[in-house]
Amino acid sequence: MIASCLCYLLLPATRLFRALSDAFFTCRKNVLLAKSSSSQVEGNFAMAPRGPEQEECEGLLQQWREEGSSQVLSTASEGPLVDKGLAQSSLALLMDNPGEENAASEDKWSSRQLSDLRAAENLDEPFPEMLGEEPLPEVEGPMWAAIPMQTDPQYADCAVLPVGALATEQWEEDPAVLAWSIAPEPVPQEEAPIWPFEGMGQLQPPPMEIPYHEILWREWEDFSTQPDAQGLKPGDGPQFQFTLMSYNILAQDLMQQSSELYLHCHPDILNWNYRFMNLMQEFQHWDPDILCLQEVQEDHYWEQLEPSLRMMGFTCFYKRRTGCKTDGCAVCYKPTRFRLLCASPVEYFRPGLELLNRDNVGLVLLLQPLVPEGLGQVSVAPLCVANTHILYNPRRGDVKLAQMAILLAEVDKVARLSDGSHCPIILCGDLNSVPDSPLYNFIRDGELQYHGMPAWKVSGQEDFSHQLYQRKLQAPLWPSSLGITDCCQYVSSCHPKRSERRKYGRDFLLRFRFCGIACQRPVGLVLMEGVTDTKPERPAGWAESVFEEDTSELEPASSRTVGTIQHCLHLTSVYTHFLPQRGRPEVTTMPLGLGMTVDYIFFSAESCENGNRTDHRLYRDGTLKLLGRLSLLSEEILWAANGLPNPFCSSDHLCLLASFGMEVTAP
C-alpha cells in the first residue's frame, strides 16, 4: 500500500495552460505539465521513491505508454474516458512513499519517467494555436497544485484547487479547470407552476411570459359616469352589475380545413394545446360573469374547456351544429351571479326547405340575476342571453336573414313577459356581416325592406356587383310552413286564445248584415226574381261603418307584409365600429389580412334618431345600461402583431367584452 503524502507540483510562469474546449486538450495539458524542464519540477520528480511499489508503477507507466497513442487520438465523444485514464496514470506518477530513500533508484525512476513523457510529446497532435485560440495572459507564481485526497488508506482521487491570485472568472472559463474541478452539488430547481385544472398536467404553459394584453393593448372605456342621449346621468340607486364576453375561439378542425388562411402563422402557435392555454389565460384575466363562445369544437369542449371552465366557477351549456359538423356554440354563466330559468337550443336546419338547409345553430338562455342579501327585499328583471354563429357564405344573404328571423322569434318567445313586454335582452355572436349592412341595420332598426335586394348585399362581406347573374331576394322570403311571421314571431304566439274565438259566432257575424259592402250588389250576380232582384234596405239606426271599425279584428294574426320583415326587440350595438382617436374602423377579425368587424354584442336600448351626435352614447338607457366596454383594435395594430392568430391572441377573432347594469327595484 502506498502511504499518504503530499506532493506539490508547481508550474513556472513561462508555461501556462490554455483554455481548451474538450477533454483531449485537457489531457494535453497534463502531458505538458509533466514534461516541464523546470529544475523545481524535475527535483520533485526526482524525489519519487523506488520501493516495493516500483514494479506496480512501471507497469502502469508501460500500460499508459502503449495505450496513450490510441487514447490521445480518440474522438471527442471518448474524452471522459481519455481524461480518466490519464488522470490515473498521472496519479501513479505522483504517488510516493517517504519511508524508503534510495538515490540510485530515484535517478532511474526520474530518467525513465521523463523519457517516456518526452516520447509521448512526439505524437502527432494539433496544437491550440492551429485552432485559432488566443493564449491566456501569463501570471507570475504558481497557479494550481494537485492535492491527493486521503479518504482511505489508498488514494481515491485527485482534486485540483486554485492557488494564488487567479480570478474566479478565469477558472470558470478554463475547460481544463472545469474538467478537473469537483462536480458541484445539484441545485434544486424551482418547481414549475402547476396548472390549477385537473387532468391538464400534459399541457404546458405557453412560452411567452408577457401577457398578451400588454402587447396588444386594449383600453377599458368607462361609461358609468357619462350622461345618456337625453343628457341624464345614471341614477345613484343600486344596480346589478355584470360583464359579458363574446368570443369566436376558432375551432381546430375548421382551422386545419382552411390552413391556407394561416400561412402567416408559425406552426407552434397553431397547436391546440398552446392555443388552449392562451384562451384560458384570457378568460382568467377578464373574468366575465357570462361567456358566449362560438366555434367550440365538441371534443375539446367536453375534454378540456368545460372541465376547466367549471373549475373557474362557470355552468356551461353547449349546442353542437347539426349534421356532421364538429363545432358549435356555448353559453357559460356563474351560478353565484345568475340562476337559470330556461335554456333553448336553436337549430336553423329545416328538412325540405332549400332556404334552411345549413347546419348553423344558436343558444338562448333566460337568467335570473341573484341580488346580494345586503340589499334587502329587492328584485331584478330576468335577462335573456342569445348566442349564435350565422352562415358565412357571402352570397347567401337570404339564408342569413332566415336564420336571424328564427333566432329573433325564439328570443321573442323566451324574453316575453306576462304583460306582453320583453325583459332585457343581449344578443351576441359571429353574425358574418359588416356594420351598416342590411342585416346589421335590420337588427338595430327593427325593419328591413328586402324585396329585389341582391343576396350578396345583405351581409356586405364582399362585392359581387360585377357578376352577370345575381341572386335576388323575393317575397315572401320564407314559406308560411316555417311558422314564423314577417314580424319574426312564432305564429302560435300571435293566434288569439281559444276563449277569444267565440266573438266570431253567429251573433257577431250578423252585425255585418247591413254594412256598406253587404248592401252593394256583387258584379256578375245572376238576377233571380225574389232572390237577387232586390237590394237590402238598411234598418234605421244601423251603423254604416260597423265593418270598418272591426276590420282589425277580422285580419289574420299572421298576416305578412310584402317584401318587409320586422321585429320589436329594440336592440343596439355595444360598439360604434369606429376608433375616433385613430380615425380608423374597428376590427374583430382579419381573414386573408383584411380587417373587418363581424362580431357583435347587441343589447336592449332605444337607438337615437339624431345621427349627428359625436359622443359614444347613440341610445337611450332602459332597464339595461351599458357601463363600459373593452376597446377594439385597428387593422394597422393587428398587422404589427402579424395579424390573427398571433403568439398572444390564439384565435382569428378578437374577444368582445362589455359591462352592464340592471335596475334594482323594490317589490
Side-chain angles (χ1 to χ4, degrees):
M1 302 297 294
I2 302 176
S4 174
C5 68
L6 178 64
C7 290
Y8 293 94
L9 181 62
L10 301 179
L11 180 67
T14 57
R15 306 288 294 178
L16 294 178
F17 292 102
R18 296 174 174 82
L20 306 177
S21 59
D22 51 23
F24 167 76
F25 292 111
T26 302
C27 300
R28 176 60 183 168
K29 281 181 168 52
N30 297 334
V31 175
L32 294 175
L33 174 65
K35 191 184 70 64
S36 175
S37 61
S38 173
S39 59
Q40 181 181 4
V41 175
E42 292 180 358
N44 290 337
F45 279 122
M47 294 174 59
R50 179 180 177 86
E53 290 81 8
Q54 177 182 357
E55 296 179 0
E56 179 180 356
C57 294
E58 292 178 355
L60 291 174
L61 184 61
Q62 181 66 22
Q63 181 181 357
W64 175 81
R65 184 172 63 251
E66 294 174 356
E67 299 178 357
S69 177
S70 60
Q71 291 177 347
V72 170
L73 298 178
S74 61
T75 59
S77 61
E78 298 174 347
L81 298 177
V82 175
D83 193 8
K84 181 177 179 181
L86 293 181
Q88 292 177 352
S89 61
S90 300
L91 180 62
L93 295 176
L94 296 176
M95 293 180 179
D96 60 351
N97 188 350
E100 300 181 3
E101 297 181 1
N102 190 326
S105 62
E106 291 174 359
D107 296 337
K108 182 179 180 181
W109 169 247
S110 176
S111 60
R112 177 178 298 181
Q113 176 190 2
L114 295 177
S115 61
D116 291 339
L117 293 178
R118 290 191 179 94
E121 183 185 6
N122 297 329
L123 295 176
D124 188 10
E125 304 174 2
F127 286 88
E129 290 78 358
M130 298 176 62
L131 300 179
E133 296 185 4
E134 298 181 359
L136 295 176
E138 296 184 358
V139 180
E140 296 182 358
M143 302 301 298
W144 54 277
I147 301 177
M149 303 179 63
Q150 184 174 0
T151 58
D152 199 67
Q154 293 186 355
Y155 298 99
D157 201 352
C158 182
V160 178
L161 300 179
V163 178
L166 186 62
T168 305
E169 291 77 12
Q170 292 177 337
W171 282 92
E172 293 177 353
E173 294 176 358
D174 192 349
V177 175
L178 295 178
W180 281 76
S181 301
I182 301 176
E185 296 181 2
V187 179
Q189 299 181 354
E190 298 182 359
E191 296 183 358
I194 301 176
W195 187 246
F197 303 119
E198 296 179 356
M200 299 293 108
Q202 75 278 9
L203 301 177
Q204 298 298 327
M208 293 295 179
E209 297 180 357
I210 303 178
Y212 81 100
H213 55 273
E214 295 184 7
I215 303 298
L216 300 175
W217 183 258
R218 300 177 63 181
E219 297 180 353
W220 180 259
E221 302 176 3
D222 187 8
F223 301 148
S224 58
T225 59
Q226 295 184 7
D228 62 7
Q230 296 176 337
L232 301 176
K233 293 185 178 181
D236 298 332
Q239 285 186 338
F240 178 84
Q241 298 184 8
F242 65 95
T243 56
L244 180 142
M245 174 185 285
S246 178
Y247 201 176
N248 183 326
I249 64 174
L250 178 59
Q252 194 74 10
D253 287 348
L254 298 181
M255 182 190 68
Q256 295 174 356
Q257 293 173 9
S258 304
S259 58
E260 67 278 1
L261 300 178
Y262 310 100
L263 297 178
H264 64 285
C265 302
H266 192 278
D268 290 345
I269 70 172
L270 299 179
N271 179 271
W272 166 246
N273 291 339
Y274 177 87
R275 295 179 54 235
F276 170 73
M277 300 297 287
N278 261 7
L279 293 172
M280 297 306 300
Q281 180 186 6
E282 290 191 63
F283 300 156
Q284 283 189 320
H285 177 77
W286 299 119
D287 192 26
D289 298 307
I290 302 176
L291 185 61
C292 299
L293 304 177
Q294 304 90 42
E295 288 195 21
V296 182
Q297 192 165 309
E298 186 177 25
D299 57 341
H300 291 163
Y301 171 80
W302 293 113
E303 295 174 5
Q304 294 172 289
L305 285 169
E306 195 276 338
S308 301
L309 292 173
R310 186 174 66 250
M311 295 188 65
M312 291 176 58
F314 286 97
T315 298
C316 305
F317 286 84
Y318 178 76
K319 174 59 181 176
R320 183 180 63 85
R321 285 202 289 168
T322 54
C324 300
K325 303 300 186 295
T326 60
D327 66 289
C329 298
V331 176
C332 313
Y333 68 93
K334 292 185 176 179
T336 57
R337 306 296 313 281
F338 298 93
R339 175 171 56 90
L340 179 67
L341 298 180
C342 70
S344 300
V346 181
E347 296 182 357
Y348 301 139
F349 178 79
R350 295 292 189 275
L353 292 181
E354 190 272 338
L355 181 67
L356 293 170
N357 60 356
R358 307 305 172 94
D359 296 314
N360 304 83
V361 296
L363 197 57
V364 181
L365 268 65
L366 186 63
L367 303 174
Q368 177 62 53
L370 300 179
V371 181
E373 297 179 358
L375 296 180
Q377 297 294 329
V378 295
S379 62
V380 183
L383 175 68
C384 179
V385 178
N387 180 30
T388 188
H389 189 182
I390 298 298
L391 176 71
Y392 167 77
N393 192 342
R395 294 180 173 86
R396 296 307 302 271
D398 51 344
V399 178
K400 297 175 187 283
L401 285 176
Q403 292 181 350
M404 182 54 60
I406 296 176
L407 180 65
L408 294 176
E410 188 68 25
V411 171
D412 175 83
K413 183 186 73 172
V414 173
R416 183 177 293 275
L417 302 176
S418 57
D419 59 356
S421 61
H422 296 91
C423 68
I425 300 169
I426 297 179
L427 189 155
C428 59
D430 184 351
L431 305 185
N432 279 315
S433 302
V434 301
D436 295 326
S437 63
L439 178 59
Y440 174 89
N441 293 334
F442 168 61
I443 298 174
R444 185 190 60 183
D445 301 335
E447 184 176 359
L448 175 65
Q449 295 182 356
Y450 64 87
H451 184 70
M453 179 183 298
W456 61 266
K457 196 174 182 179
V458 172
S459 64
Q461 295 168 277
E462 299 182 32
D463 186 359
F464 297 99
S465 58
H466 60 280
Q467 293 186 352
L468 181 61
Y469 170 76
Q470 301 180 22
R471 182 192 300 267
K472 295 186 177 181
L473 306 184
Q474 303 294 330
L477 186 59
W478 56 80
S480 301
S481 59
L482 185 60
I484 296 177
T485 68
D486 287 336
C487 293
C488 297
Q489 296 176 336
Y490 288 119
V491 174
S492 58
S493 303
C494 304
H495 275 315
K497 297 180 181 179
R498 184 176 299 274
S499 59
E500 297 177 351
R501 295 183 181 181
R502 297 176 182 175
K503 63 183 179 182
Y504 298 105
R506 181 175 180 276
D507 295 337
F508 176 78
L509 296 176
L510 287 176
R511 295 170 55 185
F512 304 97
R513 181 178 180 182
F514 296 102
C515 64
I517 296 179
C519 295
Q520 294 180 4
R521 184 180 182 86
V523 179
L525 180 63
V526 178
L527 181 61
M528 299 177 61
E529 186 177 357
V531 179
T532 60
D533 57 346
T534 60
K535 180 179 180 181
E537 296 180 0
R538 182 180 297 107
W542 193 278
E544 187 175 355
S545 60
V546 173
F547 178 79
E548 286 76 3
E549 292 178 357
D550 296 338
T551 300
S552 60
E553 299 180 2
L554 295 179
E555 290 181 355
S558 60
S559 62
R560 308 190 64 177
T561 56
V562 179
T564 303
I565 54 177
Q566 301 173 337
H567 73 83
C568 56
L569 301 181
H570 305 294
L571 301 174
T572 191
S573 176
V574 166
Y575 291 89
T576 58
H577 319 302
F578 188 78
L579 299 172
Q581 298 85 355
R582 298 182 176 272
R584 296 288 188 273
E586 296 173 337
V587 169
T588 65
T589 185
M590 290 188 64
L592 297 176
L594 178 62
M596 63 175 58
T597 295
V598 296
D599 305 275
Y600 303 93
I601 299 179
F602 291 95
F603 69 104
S604 297
E606 292 287 346
S607 299
C608 295
E609 298 296 336
N610 183 9
N612 297 325
R613 293 183 55 88
T614 58
D615 59 7
H616 300 282
R617 307 293 295 272
L618 300 178
Y619 53 87
R620 291 188 296 270
D621 282 330
T623 306
L624 191 62
K625 298 179 176 60
L626 178 63
L627 303 180
R629 69 189 178 202
L630 183 64
S631 65
L632 291 172
L633 302 175
S634 64
E635 185 179 33
E636 291 78 7
I637 294 179
L638 291 178
W639 263 119
N642 196 34
L644 294 173
N646 55 56
F648 314 103
C649 181
S650 290
S651 175
D652 57 349
H653 292 247
L654 294 176
C655 68
L656 279 61
L657 182 69
S659 175
F660 298 94
M662 298 180 65
E663 294 180 353
V664 177
T665 58

